Amino acid sequence: MKYQMKNGETLTLRPPTVEDAAELIKVMRQMDTESPFLARNPGEFSFTIEQEQTLIEAMAQNPDQQWYSAFYQGRLVGQCSAMLVSRGQRFRHRGGVAFALLKEFWGRGIGGYMMEACLAWYREHGVEQVELDVVAGNQRALGMYKSFGFAVTGTRPRALKYLDGTYADEYSMIKYL
């Protein structure tokens, strides 16, 4: 999918290929150093190129999920994934979504395009509600999610513990399609 952004630049969202594995690893490691809102501390992302390639191939074969890499002017800058929360029949109406974007590209609308792509995938697959978790202090992401119709449905106190001993709460959010 190609998008013409407000600034005239091009954003491409597409599933990653095994050829993207090394760059995906590099970008994920950079993101881990830039944001306190991801699930890992810097250095905890330890996939090898072979492991990343295996993951890319497995996700491409799984009809219950979709992974998009975001390329801004040809540069890999982020990724998002849409997946069913469980393969069990009672849960097939629910999807989970996750995003990661290099800090340099925050505030440019890229997250919105990624969300649109994930929501379109959910609609095509009959998903009725989309769920996500977000660090309570991540005001930029909270604003975007709310603009897409997500609502906070609960709080997980002290969900993350940082290296300095401080904690962050996490919100659970849902959007009904």
Side-chain angles (χ1 to χ4, degrees):
M1 294 171 269
K2 288 196 183 285
Y3 299 92
Q4 187 76 27
M5 298 183 58
K6 291 178 186 175
N7 64 3
E9 302 291 346
T10 302
L11 175 71
T12 302
L13 298 180
R14 65 164 174 79
T17 64
V18 293
E19 292 80 15
D20 297 322
E23 190 65 19
L24 280 165
I25 291 169
K26 178 182 166 191
V27 167
M28 287 305 295
R29 287 181 178 156
Q30 180 178 342
M31 286 181 210
D32 285 351
T33 67
E34 296 179 339
S35 175
F37 305 124
L38 297 178
R40 294 177 303 271
N41 287 316
E44 288 183 342
F45 186 82
S46 60
F47 268 40
T48 65
I49 290 175
E50 293 78 18
Q51 289 170 319
E52 189 75 5
Q53 289 173 333
T54 298
L55 176 64
I56 290 167
E57 289 172 337
M59 288 189 75
Q61 298 299 316
N62 188 336
D64 293 337
Q65 56 193 14
Q66 180 63 55
W67 183 5
Y68 296 108
S69 292
F71 294 86
Y72 181 78
Q73 293 300 100
R75 176 180 169 197
L76 179 64
V77 299
Q79 61 181 353
C80 60
S81 59
M83 70 220 70
L84 297 181
V85 298
S86 174
R87 296 187 95 160
Q89 191 61 41
R90 290 184 178 185
F91 298 95
R92 294 189 69 77
H93 67 290
R94 295 171 52 206
V97 65
F99 292 84
L101 185 65
L102 289 171
K103 188 173 187 176
E104 172 184 351
F105 296 92
W106 293 359
R108 297 188 190 197
I110 294 171
Y113 289 110
M114 290 193 298
M115 179 64 82
E116 287 175 12
C118 288
L119 293 176
W121 185 88
Y122 286 125
R123 287 183 181 101
E124 290 170 13
H125 290 82
V127 172
E128 298 172 19
Q129 72 185 46
V130 180
E131 305 168 9
L132 59 85
D133 295 322
V134 60
V135 175
N138 191 347
Q139 295 303 315
R140 183 181 303 272
L142 275 167
M144 183 188 82
Y145 300 146
K146 288 179 180 178
S147 77
F148 275 92
F150 283 82
V152 173
T153 58
T155 302
R156 191 173 299 110
R158 295 171 46 141
L160 287 83
K161 183 176 181 179
Y162 295 106
L163 294 174
D164 66 1
T166 61
Y167 297 89
D169 293 350
E170 190 172 64
Y171 294 139
S172 296
M173 300 184 82
I174 292 179
K175 173 184 176 62
Y176 297 103
L177 299 179

